[in-house]
Structure formats: structure tokens, C-alpha cells
Amino acid sequence: SSSITELLGALCDSSLSGVSWKRRALGGVSRESFHRALKKCAYGALLSKIFQDGTKGPASGPSATANTPPRNKVLMICFDLRVAGCREEAERLEEQLEKLPEESSSSGLKEVDAVLELLVHLAGSAPPPVTSF
Amino acid sequence: MASAANANMNAVRETMDVLLEISRLLNTGLDMESLSICVRLCEQGINPEALSAVIKELRKASESLKASENCTN
């Protein structure tokens, strides 16, 4: 098992796939320096979120979905998909959600719900897939 | 002992396949490599909301690099 530092480094690496470093090196931007800048950026985002969470008091009040289980959030997305006319996608999503084991012993992973929560946060964050005509 | 480890490995593989399909349907932009890194970070206790912020920031930074590359071409 790798450390958080190593995993964040690997995440930075995977976000740099497809960049041509030969040409960049001529312009003075090396892979190493950009990797360092990305790591700084990743830690900045991570720490700012942690400190933000720490300052959130009960006075600010939790948002309506803050305590909703991630599986229910996915079901809410399924509902939105149906409303938007994407019935097939909604059904496929529900089907996959049913396949996902609720107990860590049967999934082999301890934090399936945390991963699901992450996917909900990232939902729709990528450009839509290109459709060919 | 070995069969228990194999069973666990199979369970992890099946769960990863389901998570990847959910990820694709939700259009998260994660491929298998980045998803498995994220799963391991979640297993280490990283807050998923904070991790999503990290991924969005990394995308912004690498997109700007790729955009500047296109401008110089």
C-alpha cells in the first residue's frame, strides 16, 4: 500500500498524460518543475478544503444533502436523468448501484461509500463524450 | 489462506469494475488508473469532497498547460 504523498504524486502524473515534454523542455518547462507545481496545487486544494471543513460550525447549518447517503445521491441523479429523458442511462446506473456490495467484506474495499461520494462530486465534470455522426 | 486472498482480489476487481461503470455513466472523466488511485486515497481516509477539489484543480492546471501547447503549435 502506498502513502498519501505517493498517491497524490501518481494522481499528478496521470493528469499529465498526453503532454509533449520534448517540446516543453525547449521552452524551459520541464516535467519535473510542472509536476512540482501540480503537487503544490493539489496540496493547496486539499488543505484549503480541510481547513474549510474545520471552520464549518453548527451555526452555518448543514446543506440539505450533506447528510444524505451517497447511494441516495446517486438515486437522485437517476431521477434527474429520467426527468431529462435519459431513461436508459438512469436504468443502467441503478443496475450498477445494485451490484455494488454494501458490506466492506463482500466488496473487498473498506470505503466504497466514500468513493461513491467522490463520484457524485465529480459527476458531469468531464466534457460530454463525442458522438460520431 | 491463498484462496481467501484470491477471493478478496476477485471481490476488489468486481467492485472496481462496477465503480468504473458508475464513474463512466456519471461522466466524471476518471479512467481506471486515476479511479484506482482515488480509491486508494479514500481507503487512506482522504475526504472525498476534498479529493474532488484536488482533481478539479489538477485538471484546470493540466488543461491550461495543454492549451498553451496548442497556442505555440
PDB file of all heavy atoms in Angstrom, chain A residues 2 7 15 17 20 23-24 38 49 92 96 107-108 110-111 114 118 121 123-126, chain B residues 11 15 18 21 26-28 37 40 43-44 48 56 59 61-62 65-66 68-69 73:
ATOM      1  N   SER A   2       0.519   2.256  -0.799  1.00  0.00           N
ATOM      2  CA  SER A   2       1.323   3.459  -0.921  1.00  0.00           C
ATOM      3  C   SER A   2       0.855   4.527   0.058  1.00  0.00           C
ATOM      4  O   SER A   2      -0.267   4.478   0.566  1.00  0.00           O
ATOM      5  CB  SER A   2       1.202   3.995  -2.338  1.00  0.00           C
ATOM      6  OG  SER A   2       1.355   2.964  -3.261  1.00  0.00           O
ATOM      7  N   LEU A   7       0.525   8.597  -3.542  1.00  0.00           N
ATOM      8  CA  LEU A   7      -0.711   8.519  -4.334  1.00  0.00           C
ATOM      9  C   LEU A   7      -1.050   9.866  -4.971  1.00  0.00           C
ATOM     10  O   LEU A   7      -1.498   9.924  -6.125  1.00  0.00           O
ATOM     11  CB  LEU A   7      -1.868   8.034  -3.454  1.00  0.00           C
ATOM     12  CG  LEU A   7      -1.785   6.567  -3.022  1.00  0.00           C
ATOM     13  CD1 LEU A   7      -2.809   6.258  -1.940  1.00  0.00           C
ATOM     14  CD2 LEU A   7      -1.984   5.643  -4.214  1.00  0.00           C
ATOM     15  N   SER A  15      -2.643  13.043 -14.490  1.00  0.00           N
ATOM     16  CA  SER A  15      -3.289  14.213 -15.113  1.00  0.00           C
ATOM     17  C   SER A  15      -2.388  14.849 -16.177  1.00  0.00           C
ATOM     18  O   SER A  15      -2.826  15.713 -16.928  1.00  0.00           O
ATOM     19  CB  SER A  15      -3.699  15.243 -14.060  1.00  0.00           C
ATOM     20  OG  SER A  15      -2.567  15.863 -13.544  1.00  0.00           O
ATOM     21  N   SER A  17      -0.850  13.059 -18.549  1.00  0.00           N
ATOM     22  CA  SER A  17      -0.713  12.190 -19.717  1.00  0.00           C
ATOM     23  C   SER A  17      -1.144  12.946 -20.982  1.00  0.00           C
ATOM     24  O   SER A  17      -2.095  13.721 -20.960  1.00  0.00           O
ATOM     25  CB  SER A  17      -1.556  10.926 -19.544  1.00  0.00           C
ATOM     26  OG  SER A  17      -2.890  11.287 -19.366  1.00  0.00           O
ATOM     27  N   SER A  20       3.248  16.822 -24.399  1.00  0.00           N
ATOM     28  CA  SER A  20       4.533  16.569 -25.058  1.00  0.00           C
ATOM     29  C   SER A  20       5.635  17.298 -24.315  1.00  0.00           C
ATOM     30  O   SER A  20       5.696  18.530 -24.316  1.00  0.00           O
ATOM     31  CB  SER A  20       4.452  17.056 -26.510  1.00  0.00           C
ATOM     32  OG  SER A  20       5.730  17.270 -27.017  1.00  0.00           O
ATOM     33  N   ARG A  23       8.998  19.079 -26.504  1.00  0.00           N
ATOM     34  CA  ARG A  23       8.876  20.459 -26.977  1.00  0.00           C
ATOM     35  C   ARG A  23       8.879  21.434 -25.795  1.00  0.00           C
ATOM     36  O   ARG A  23       9.402  22.509 -25.849  1.00  0.00           O
ATOM     37  CB  ARG A  23       7.582  20.601 -27.781  1.00  0.00           C
ATOM     38  CG  ARG A  23       7.658  21.726 -28.788  1.00  0.00           C
ATOM     39  CD  ARG A  23       6.393  21.828 -29.588  1.00  0.00           C
ATOM     40  NE  ARG A  23       6.078  20.609 -30.302  1.00  0.00           N
ATOM     41  CZ  ARG A  23       4.878  20.031 -30.259  1.00  0.00           C
ATOM     42  NH1 ARG A  23       3.916  20.543 -29.533  1.00  0.00           N
ATOM     43  NH2 ARG A  23       4.651  18.938 -30.933  1.00  0.00           N
ATOM     44  N   ARG A  24       8.244  21.001 -24.686  1.00  0.00           N
ATOM     45  CA  ARG A  24       8.149  21.864 -23.498  1.00  0.00           C
ATOM     46  C   ARG A  24       9.548  22.146 -22.936  1.00  0.00           C
ATOM     47  O   ARG A  24       9.823  23.239 -22.476  1.00  0.00           O
ATOM     48  CB  ARG A  24       7.335  21.186 -22.399  1.00  0.00           C
ATOM     49  CG  ARG A  24       5.972  20.875 -22.778  1.00  0.00           C
ATOM     50  CD  ARG A  24       4.992  21.583 -21.872  1.00  0.00           C
ATOM     51  NE  ARG A  24       3.899  22.055 -22.676  1.00  0.00           N
ATOM     52  CZ  ARG A  24       3.608  23.315 -22.842  1.00  0.00           C
ATOM     53  NH1 ARG A  24       4.295  24.246 -22.255  1.00  0.00           N
ATOM     54  NH2 ARG A  24       2.608  23.683 -23.595  1.00  0.00           N
ATOM     55  N   LEU A  38       2.167  21.119  -9.872  1.00  0.00           N
ATOM     56  CA  LEU A  38       0.883  20.412  -9.750  1.00  0.00           C
ATOM     57  C   LEU A  38       0.688  19.876  -8.334  1.00  0.00           C
ATOM     58  O   LEU A  38      -0.409  19.944  -7.786  1.00  0.00           O
ATOM     59  CB  LEU A  38       0.827  19.237 -10.727  1.00  0.00           C
ATOM     60  CG  LEU A  38       0.320  19.497 -12.141  1.00  0.00           C
ATOM     61  CD1 LEU A  38       0.147  18.173 -12.868  1.00  0.00           C
ATOM     62  CD2 LEU A  38      -1.003  20.239 -12.156  1.00  0.00           C
ATOM     63  N   LYS A  49      -9.595  22.745   1.669  1.00  0.00           N
ATOM     64  CA  LYS A  49     -10.870  22.066   1.928  1.00  0.00           C
ATOM     65  C   LYS A  49     -10.915  21.552   3.366  1.00  0.00           C
ATOM     66  O   LYS A  49     -11.946  21.634   4.024  1.00  0.00           O
ATOM     67  CB  LYS A  49     -10.997  20.894   0.952  1.00  0.00           C
ATOM     68  CG  LYS A  49     -12.390  20.511   0.624  1.00  0.00           C
ATOM     69  CD  LYS A  49     -13.049  21.494  -0.307  1.00  0.00           C
ATOM     70  CE  LYS A  49     -14.537  21.274  -0.304  1.00  0.00           C
ATOM     71  NZ  LYS A  49     -15.255  22.406  -0.880  1.00  0.00           N
ATOM     72  N   ARG A  92     -29.364   1.961 -16.234  1.00  0.00           N
ATOM     73  CA  ARG A  92     -28.028   1.344 -16.165  1.00  0.00           C
ATOM     74  C   ARG A  92     -27.340   1.719 -14.846  1.00  0.00           C
ATOM     75  O   ARG A  92     -26.704   0.882 -14.209  1.00  0.00           O
ATOM     76  CB  ARG A  92     -27.217   1.819 -17.372  1.00  0.00           C
ATOM     77  CG  ARG A  92     -25.875   1.226 -17.524  1.00  0.00           C
ATOM     78  CD  ARG A  92     -25.785   0.270 -18.713  1.00  0.00           C
ATOM     79  NE  ARG A  92     -24.445  -0.307 -18.802  1.00  0.00           N
ATOM     80  CZ  ARG A  92     -24.106  -1.450 -18.222  1.00  0.00           C
ATOM     81  NH1 ARG A  92     -24.970  -2.145 -17.528  1.00  0.00           N
ATOM     82  NH2 ARG A  92     -22.869  -1.914 -18.323  1.00  0.00           N
ATOM     83  N   GLN A  96     -26.136  -0.765 -11.832  1.00  0.00           N
ATOM     84  CA  GLN A  96     -24.759  -0.829 -11.309  1.00  0.00           C
ATOM     85  C   GLN A  96     -24.744  -0.599  -9.800  1.00  0.00           C
ATOM     86  O   GLN A  96     -23.977  -1.227  -9.079  1.00  0.00           O
ATOM     87  CB  GLN A  96     -23.870   0.210 -12.006  1.00  0.00           C
ATOM     88  CG  GLN A  96     -23.655  -0.030 -13.484  1.00  0.00           C
ATOM     89  CD  GLN A  96     -23.001  -1.361 -13.778  1.00  0.00           C
ATOM     90  OE1 GLN A  96     -22.014  -1.737 -13.175  1.00  0.00           O
ATOM     91  NE2 GLN A  96     -23.588  -2.118 -14.691  1.00  0.00           N
ATOM     92  N   SER A 107     -17.186  -6.470  -0.710  1.00  0.00           N
ATOM     93  CA  SER A 107     -16.633  -5.652  -1.805  1.00  0.00           C
ATOM     94  C   SER A 107     -15.114  -5.731  -1.855  1.00  0.00           C
ATOM     95  O   SER A 107     -14.510  -5.452  -2.883  1.00  0.00           O
ATOM     96  CB  SER A 107     -17.046  -4.187  -1.644  1.00  0.00           C
ATOM     97  OG  SER A 107     -16.390  -3.618  -0.534  1.00  0.00           O
ATOM     98  N   GLY A 108     -14.501  -6.121  -0.742  1.00  0.00           N
ATOM     99  CA  GLY A 108     -13.041  -6.148  -0.674  1.00  0.00           C
ATOM    100  C   GLY A 108     -12.458  -4.780  -0.398  1.00  0.00           C
ATOM    101  O   GLY A 108     -11.259  -4.640  -0.213  1.00  0.00           O
ATOM    102  N   LYS A 110     -12.797  -1.003   1.887  1.00  0.00           N
ATOM    103  CA  LYS A 110     -13.356  -0.501   3.152  1.00  0.00           C
ATOM    104  C   LYS A 110     -14.245   0.723   2.942  1.00  0.00           C
ATOM    105  O   LYS A 110     -15.130   1.003   3.716  1.00  0.00           O
ATOM    106  CB  LYS A 110     -12.207  -0.103   4.100  1.00  0.00           C
ATOM    107  CG  LYS A 110     -11.442  -1.247   4.680  1.00  0.00           C
ATOM    108  CD  LYS A 110     -10.340  -0.724   5.607  1.00  0.00           C
ATOM    109  CE  LYS A 110      -9.235  -0.071   4.803  1.00  0.00           C
ATOM    110  NZ  LYS A 110      -8.191   0.586   5.565  1.00  0.00           N
ATOM    111  N   GLU A 111     -13.946   1.499   1.875  1.00  0.00           N
ATOM    112  CA  GLU A 111     -14.566   2.811   1.745  1.00  0.00           C
ATOM    113  C   GLU A 111     -15.358   2.979   0.439  1.00  0.00           C
ATOM    114  O   GLU A 111     -15.211   3.991  -0.240  1.00  0.00           O
ATOM    115  CB  GLU A 111     -13.482   3.902   1.835  1.00  0.00           C
ATOM    116  CG  GLU A 111     -12.684   3.913   3.129  1.00  0.00           C
ATOM    117  CD  GLU A 111     -13.510   4.354   4.335  1.00  0.00           C
ATOM    118  OE1 GLU A 111     -14.608   4.901   4.152  1.00  0.00           O
ATOM    119  OE2 GLU A 111     -13.039   4.124   5.455  1.00  0.00           O
ATOM    120  N   ALA A 114     -17.383   6.173   0.384  1.00  0.00           N
ATOM    121  CA  ALA A 114     -16.563   7.389   0.190  1.00  0.00           C
ATOM    122  C   ALA A 114     -16.228   7.554  -1.294  1.00  0.00           C
ATOM    123  O   ALA A 114     -16.252   8.678  -1.821  1.00  0.00           O
ATOM    124  CB  ALA A 114     -15.284   7.294   1.014  1.00  0.00           C
ATOM    125  N   LEU A 118     -17.277  10.588  -3.842  1.00  0.00           N
ATOM    126  CA  LEU A 118     -16.339  11.277  -4.735  1.00  0.00           C
ATOM    127  C   LEU A 118     -16.911  11.329  -6.154  1.00  0.00           C
ATOM    128  O   LEU A 118     -16.875  12.382  -6.808  1.00  0.00           O
ATOM    129  CB  LEU A 118     -14.986  10.544  -4.738  1.00  0.00           C
ATOM    130  CG  LEU A 118     -13.996  10.981  -5.811  1.00  0.00           C
ATOM    131  CD1 LEU A 118     -13.428  12.363  -5.496  1.00  0.00           C
ATOM    132  CD2 LEU A 118     -12.868   9.979  -5.969  1.00  0.00           C
ATOM    133  N   HIS A 121     -19.524  13.915  -6.479  1.00  0.00           N
ATOM    134  CA  HIS A 121     -18.943  15.266  -6.542  1.00  0.00           C
ATOM    135  C   HIS A 121     -18.361  15.564  -7.923  1.00  0.00           C
ATOM    136  O   HIS A 121     -18.335  16.709  -8.351  1.00  0.00           O
ATOM    137  CB  HIS A 121     -17.853  15.442  -5.478  1.00  0.00           C
ATOM    138  CG  HIS A 121     -18.404  15.739  -4.128  1.00  0.00           C
ATOM    139  ND1 HIS A 121     -19.034  16.919  -3.808  1.00  0.00           N
ATOM    140  CD2 HIS A 121     -18.434  14.987  -3.000  1.00  0.00           C
ATOM    141  CE1 HIS A 121     -19.425  16.883  -2.548  1.00  0.00           C
ATOM    142  NE2 HIS A 121     -19.078  15.726  -2.042  1.00  0.00           N
ATOM    143  N   ALA A 123     -19.471  14.180 -10.736  1.00  0.00           N
ATOM    144  CA  ALA A 123     -20.460  13.899 -11.790  1.00  0.00           C
ATOM    145  C   ALA A 123     -20.605  15.081 -12.749  1.00  0.00           C
ATOM    146  O   ALA A 123     -20.775  16.225 -12.316  1.00  0.00           O
ATOM    147  CB  ALA A 123     -21.800  13.563 -11.163  1.00  0.00           C
ATOM    148  N   GLY A 124     -20.490  14.799 -14.025  1.00  0.00           N
ATOM    149  CA  GLY A 124     -20.663  15.842 -15.049  1.00  0.00           C
ATOM    150  C   GLY A 124     -19.486  16.786 -15.176  1.00  0.00           C
ATOM    151  O   GLY A 124     -19.571  17.794 -15.880  1.00  0.00           O
ATOM    152  N   SER A 125     -18.372  16.477 -14.508  1.00  0.00           N
ATOM    153  CA  SER A 125     -17.237  17.408 -14.547  1.00  0.00           C
ATOM    154  C   SER A 125     -16.371  17.243 -15.793  1.00  0.00           C
ATOM    155  O   SER A 125     -15.533  18.088 -16.082  1.00  0.00           O
ATOM    156  CB  SER A 125     -16.389  17.259 -13.287  1.00  0.00           C
ATOM    157  OG  SER A 125     -15.825  15.978 -13.243  1.00  0.00           O
ATOM    158  N   ALA A 126     -16.575  16.141 -16.512  1.00  0.00           N
ATOM    159  CA  ALA A 126     -15.795  15.929 -17.740  1.00  0.00           C
ATOM    160  C   ALA A 126     -16.625  16.386 -18.936  1.00  0.00           C
ATOM    161  O   ALA A 126     -17.851  16.385 -18.865  1.00  0.00           O
ATOM    162  CB  ALA A 126     -15.457  14.454 -17.875  1.00  0.00           C
TER     163      ALA A 126
ATOM    164  N   ALA B  11     -13.120 -10.002  -5.475  1.00  0.00           N
ATOM    165  CA  ALA B  11     -14.158  -9.082  -4.990  1.00  0.00           C
ATOM    166  C   ALA B  11     -13.754  -7.642  -5.284  1.00  0.00           C
ATOM    167  O   ALA B  11     -14.573  -6.834  -5.748  1.00  0.00           O
ATOM    168  CB  ALA B  11     -14.373  -9.287  -3.493  1.00  0.00           C
ATOM    169  N   THR B  15     -15.715  -5.059  -7.751  1.00  0.00           N
ATOM    170  CA  THR B  15     -16.176  -3.772  -7.228  1.00  0.00           C
ATOM    171  C   THR B  15     -15.592  -2.629  -8.056  1.00  0.00           C
ATOM    172  O   THR B  15     -16.292  -1.655  -8.371  1.00  0.00           O
ATOM    173  CB  THR B  15     -15.773  -3.617  -5.734  1.00  0.00           C
ATOM    174  OG1 THR B  15     -16.232  -4.746  -5.029  1.00  0.00           O
ATOM    175  CG2 THR B  15     -16.367  -2.372  -5.122  1.00  0.00           C
ATOM    176  N   VAL B  18     -17.494  -2.231 -11.293  1.00  0.00           N
ATOM    177  CA  VAL B  18     -18.790  -1.561 -11.084  1.00  0.00           C
ATOM    178  C   VAL B  18     -18.566  -0.068 -10.864  1.00  0.00           C
ATOM    179  O   VAL B  18     -19.261   0.771 -11.456  1.00  0.00           O
ATOM    180  CB  VAL B  18     -19.550  -2.197  -9.886  1.00  0.00           C
ATOM    181  CG1 VAL B  18     -20.829  -1.432  -9.601  1.00  0.00           C
ATOM    182  CG2 VAL B  18     -19.870  -3.656 -10.160  1.00  0.00           C
ATOM    183  N   GLU B  21     -17.807   1.690 -14.103  1.00  0.00           N
ATOM    184  CA  GLU B  21     -19.001   1.861 -14.942  1.00  0.00           C
ATOM    185  C   GLU B  21     -19.870   2.999 -14.393  1.00  0.00           C
ATOM    186  O   GLU B  21     -20.390   3.822 -15.163  1.00  0.00           O
ATOM    187  CB  GLU B  21     -19.770   0.522 -14.992  1.00  0.00           C
ATOM    188  CG  GLU B  21     -20.990   0.522 -15.888  1.00  0.00           C
ATOM    189  CD  GLU B  21     -20.700   0.820 -17.357  1.00  0.00           C
ATOM    190  OE1 GLU B  21     -19.529   0.817 -17.768  1.00  0.00           O
ATOM    191  OE2 GLU B  21     -21.681   1.079 -18.091  1.00  0.00           O
ATOM    192  N   LEU B  26     -21.693   8.568 -14.847  1.00  0.00           N
ATOM    193  CA  LEU B  26     -21.807   9.903 -14.229  1.00  0.00           C
ATOM    194  C   LEU B  26     -20.938  10.950 -14.932  1.00  0.00           C
ATOM    195  O   LEU B  26     -20.954  12.115 -14.566  1.00  0.00           O
ATOM    196  CB  LEU B  26     -21.420   9.832 -12.742  1.00  0.00           C
ATOM    197  CG  LEU B  26     -22.378   9.079 -11.816  1.00  0.00           C
ATOM    198  CD1 LEU B  26     -21.817   9.044 -10.396  1.00  0.00           C
ATOM    199  CD2 LEU B  26     -23.758   9.735 -11.803  1.00  0.00           C
ATOM    200  N   ASN B  27     -20.182  10.500 -15.928  1.00  0.00           N
ATOM    201  CA  ASN B  27     -19.313  11.393 -16.702  1.00  0.00           C
ATOM    202  C   ASN B  27     -18.333  12.160 -15.805  1.00  0.00           C
ATOM    203  O   ASN B  27     -18.265  13.393 -15.831  1.00  0.00           O
ATOM    204  CB  ASN B  27     -20.185  12.363 -17.518  1.00  0.00           C
ATOM    205  CG  ASN B  27     -19.438  13.011 -18.643  1.00  0.00           C
ATOM    206  OD1 ASN B  27     -18.440  12.466 -19.117  1.00  0.00           O
ATOM    207  ND2 ASN B  27     -19.891  14.172 -19.068  1.00  0.00           N
ATOM    208  N   THR B  28     -17.611  11.394 -14.987  1.00  0.00           N
ATOM    209  CA  THR B  28     -16.657  12.017 -14.051  1.00  0.00           C
ATOM    210  C   THR B  28     -15.304  12.305 -14.703  1.00  0.00           C
ATOM    211  O   THR B  28     -14.507  13.066 -14.160  1.00  0.00           O
ATOM    212  CB  THR B  28     -16.381  11.092 -12.842  1.00  0.00           C
ATOM    213  OG1 THR B  28     -15.751   9.906 -13.328  1.00  0.00           O
ATOM    214  CG2 THR B  28     -17.653  10.735 -12.099  1.00  0.00           C
ATOM    215  N   ILE B  37      -6.343   5.108  -8.117  1.00  0.00           N
ATOM    216  CA  ILE B  37      -5.577   5.971  -7.194  1.00  0.00           C
ATOM    217  C   ILE B  37      -6.541   6.629  -6.197  1.00  0.00           C
ATOM    218  O   ILE B  37      -6.290   6.679  -4.992  1.00  0.00           O
ATOM    219  CB  ILE B  37      -4.789   7.050  -7.974  1.00  0.00           C
ATOM    220  CG1 ILE B  37      -3.728   6.405  -8.877  1.00  0.00           C
ATOM    221  CG2 ILE B  37      -4.121   8.034  -7.015  1.00  0.00           C
ATOM    222  CD1 ILE B  37      -3.087   7.368  -9.868  1.00  0.00           C
ATOM    223  N   ARG B  40      -7.698   4.255  -3.544  1.00  0.00           N
ATOM    224  CA  ARG B  40      -6.676   4.047  -2.513  1.00  0.00           C
ATOM    225  C   ARG B  40      -6.560   5.257  -1.589  1.00  0.00           C
ATOM    226  O   ARG B  40      -6.338   5.117  -0.390  1.00  0.00           O
ATOM    227  CB  ARG B  40      -5.332   3.717  -3.173  1.00  0.00           C
ATOM    228  CG  ARG B  40      -5.361   2.290  -3.752  1.00  0.00           C
ATOM    229  CD  ARG B  40      -4.386   2.106  -4.859  1.00  0.00           C
ATOM    230  NE  ARG B  40      -3.018   1.986  -4.395  1.00  0.00           N
ATOM    231  CZ  ARG B  40      -1.967   2.025  -5.197  1.00  0.00           C
ATOM    232  NH1 ARG B  40      -2.126   2.204  -6.493  1.00  0.00           N
ATOM    233  NH2 ARG B  40      -0.762   1.905  -4.725  1.00  0.00           N
ATOM    234  N   GLU B  43      -9.397   5.039   0.759  1.00  0.00           N
ATOM    235  CA  GLU B  43      -9.098   3.988   1.741  1.00  0.00           C
ATOM    236  C   GLU B  43      -8.129   4.488   2.812  1.00  0.00           C
ATOM    237  O   GLU B  43      -8.086   3.969   3.911  1.00  0.00           O
ATOM    238  CB  GLU B  43      -8.496   2.755   1.059  1.00  0.00           C
ATOM    239  CG  GLU B  43      -9.401   2.090   0.047  1.00  0.00           C
ATOM    240  CD  GLU B  43     -10.329   1.047   0.651  1.00  0.00           C
ATOM    241  OE1 GLU B  43      -9.841   0.051   1.149  1.00  0.00           O
ATOM    242  OE2 GLU B  43     -11.554   1.255   0.614  1.00  0.00           O
ATOM    243  N   GLN B  44      -7.332   5.512   2.439  1.00  0.00           N
ATOM    244  CA  GLN B  44      -6.369   6.098   3.409  1.00  0.00           C
ATOM    245  C   GLN B  44      -7.042   7.164   4.274  1.00  0.00           C
ATOM    246  O   GLN B  44      -6.396   7.799   5.089  1.00  0.00           O
ATOM    247  CB  GLN B  44      -5.196   6.741   2.661  1.00  0.00           C
ATOM    248  CG  GLN B  44      -4.383   5.769   1.843  1.00  0.00           C
ATOM    249  CD  GLN B  44      -3.119   5.334   2.554  1.00  0.00           C
ATOM    250  OE1 GLN B  44      -3.024   5.452   3.766  1.00  0.00           O
ATOM    251  NE2 GLN B  44      -2.163   4.818   1.812  1.00  0.00           N
ATOM    252  N   PRO B  48     -13.660  12.652   0.535  1.00  0.00           N
ATOM    253  CA  PRO B  48     -13.990  12.607  -0.903  1.00  0.00           C
ATOM    254  C   PRO B  48     -14.270  13.969  -1.530  1.00  0.00           C
ATOM    255  O   PRO B  48     -13.935  14.208  -2.700  1.00  0.00           O
ATOM    256  CB  PRO B  48     -15.234  11.715  -0.967  1.00  0.00           C
ATOM    257  CG  PRO B  48     -15.672  11.484   0.418  1.00  0.00           C
ATOM    258  CD  PRO B  48     -14.561  11.805   1.328  1.00  0.00           C
ATOM    259  N   LYS B  56     -10.270  18.471  -9.634  1.00  0.00           N
ATOM    260  CA  LYS B  56     -10.704  19.594 -10.483  1.00  0.00           C
ATOM    261  C   LYS B  56      -9.568  20.601 -10.672  1.00  0.00           C
ATOM    262  O   LYS B  56      -9.375  21.136 -11.761  1.00  0.00           O
ATOM    263  CB  LYS B  56     -11.948  20.258  -9.888  1.00  0.00           C
ATOM    264  CG  LYS B  56     -13.204  19.415 -10.076  1.00  0.00           C
ATOM    265  CD  LYS B  56     -14.391  20.001  -9.348  1.00  0.00           C
ATOM    266  CE  LYS B  56     -15.567  19.039  -9.408  1.00  0.00           C
ATOM    267  NZ  LYS B  56     -16.677  19.462  -8.539  1.00  0.00           N
ATOM    268  N   ARG B  59      -7.003  19.168 -13.055  1.00  0.00           N
ATOM    269  CA  ARG B  59      -7.493  19.245 -14.439  1.00  0.00           C
ATOM    270  C   ARG B  59      -7.320  20.637 -15.005  1.00  0.00           C
ATOM    271  O   ARG B  59      -6.887  20.805 -16.134  1.00  0.00           O
ATOM    272  CB  ARG B  59      -8.990  18.875 -14.468  1.00  0.00           C
ATOM    273  CG  ARG B  59      -9.202  17.400 -14.562  1.00  0.00           C
ATOM    274  CD  ARG B  59     -10.659  17.099 -14.692  1.00  0.00           C
ATOM    275  NE  ARG B  59     -10.880  15.695 -14.385  1.00  0.00           N
ATOM    276  CZ  ARG B  59     -12.039  15.194 -14.025  1.00  0.00           C
ATOM    277  NH1 ARG B  59     -13.082  15.987 -13.907  1.00  0.00           N
ATOM    278  NH2 ARG B  59     -12.175  13.914 -13.791  1.00  0.00           N
ATOM    279  N   ALA B  61      -5.174  22.931 -14.122  1.00  0.00           N
ATOM    280  CA  ALA B  61      -3.755  23.212 -14.361  1.00  0.00           C
ATOM    281  C   ALA B  61      -3.243  22.487 -15.595  1.00  0.00           C
ATOM    282  O   ALA B  61      -2.546  23.085 -16.426  1.00  0.00           O
ATOM    283  CB  ALA B  61      -2.937  22.798 -13.133  1.00  0.00           C
ATOM    284  N   SER B  62      -3.590  21.208 -15.762  1.00  0.00           N
ATOM    285  CA  SER B  62      -3.067  20.481 -16.924  1.00  0.00           C
ATOM    286  C   SER B  62      -3.746  20.940 -18.209  1.00  0.00           C
ATOM    287  O   SER B  62      -3.119  20.959 -19.265  1.00  0.00           O
ATOM    288  CB  SER B  62      -3.174  18.971 -16.733  1.00  0.00           C
ATOM    289  OG  SER B  62      -4.499  18.592 -16.608  1.00  0.00           O
ATOM    290  N   LEU B  65      -1.985  23.990 -19.375  1.00  0.00           N
ATOM    291  CA  LEU B  65      -0.699  23.624 -19.982  1.00  0.00           C
ATOM    292  C   LEU B  65      -0.905  23.113 -21.407  1.00  0.00           C
ATOM    293  O   LEU B  65      -0.189  23.503 -22.329  1.00  0.00           O
ATOM    294  CB  LEU B  65      -0.008  22.550 -19.144  1.00  0.00           C
ATOM    295  CG  LEU B  65       1.380  22.160 -19.622  1.00  0.00           C
ATOM    296  CD1 LEU B  65       2.397  23.212 -19.240  1.00  0.00           C
ATOM    297  CD2 LEU B  65       1.810  20.820 -19.050  1.00  0.00           C
ATOM    298  N   LYS B  66      -1.921  22.257 -21.579  1.00  0.00           N
ATOM    299  CA  LYS B  66      -2.196  21.715 -22.909  1.00  0.00           C
ATOM    300  C   LYS B  66      -2.660  22.816 -23.860  1.00  0.00           C
ATOM    301  O   LYS B  66      -2.316  22.824 -25.036  1.00  0.00           O
ATOM    302  CB  LYS B  66      -3.243  20.605 -22.814  1.00  0.00           C
ATOM    303  CG  LYS B  66      -2.677  19.300 -22.283  1.00  0.00           C
ATOM    304  CD  LYS B  66      -3.758  18.285 -21.998  1.00  0.00           C
ATOM    305  CE  LYS B  66      -3.183  17.117 -21.216  1.00  0.00           C
ATOM    306  NZ  LYS B  66      -4.204  16.224 -20.694  1.00  0.00           N
ATOM    307  N   SER B  68      -1.793  25.993 -23.716  1.00  0.00           N
ATOM    308  CA  SER B  68      -0.639  26.807 -24.105  1.00  0.00           C
ATOM    309  C   SER B  68       0.212  26.068 -25.129  1.00  0.00           C
ATOM    310  O   SER B  68       0.827  26.676 -25.998  1.00  0.00           O
ATOM    311  CB  SER B  68       0.192  27.193 -22.881  1.00  0.00           C
ATOM    312  OG  SER B  68       0.861  26.070 -22.387  1.00  0.00           O
ATOM    313  N   GLU B  69       0.206  24.727 -25.045  1.00  0.00           N
ATOM    314  CA  GLU B  69       0.943  23.921 -26.017  1.00  0.00           C
ATOM    315  C   GLU B  69       0.310  24.075 -27.395  1.00  0.00           C
ATOM    316  O   GLU B  69       0.997  24.247 -28.399  1.00  0.00           O
ATOM    317  CB  GLU B  69       0.902  22.451 -25.589  1.00  0.00           C
ATOM    318  CG  GLU B  69       1.756  21.543 -26.433  1.00  0.00           C
ATOM    319  CD  GLU B  69       1.754  20.115 -25.897  1.00  0.00           C
ATOM    320  OE1 GLU B  69       0.680  19.628 -25.541  1.00  0.00           O
ATOM    321  OE2 GLU B  69       2.822  19.529 -25.829  1.00  0.00           O
ATOM    322  N   ASN B  73       1.808  25.775 -31.134  1.00  0.00           N
ATOM    323  CA  ASN B  73       1.907  24.955 -32.358  1.00  0.00           C
ATOM    324  C   ASN B  73       1.558  25.773 -33.601  1.00  0.00           C
ATOM    325  O   ASN B  73       0.701  26.576 -33.591  1.00  0.00           O
ATOM    326  CB  ASN B  73       0.951  23.748 -32.275  1.00  0.00           C
ATOM    327  CG  ASN B  73       1.535  22.678 -31.383  1.00  0.00           C
ATOM    328  OD1 ASN B  73       2.692  22.726 -31.021  1.00  0.00           O
ATOM    329  ND2 ASN B  73       0.707  21.705 -31.015  1.00  0.00           N
TER     330      ASN B  73
END
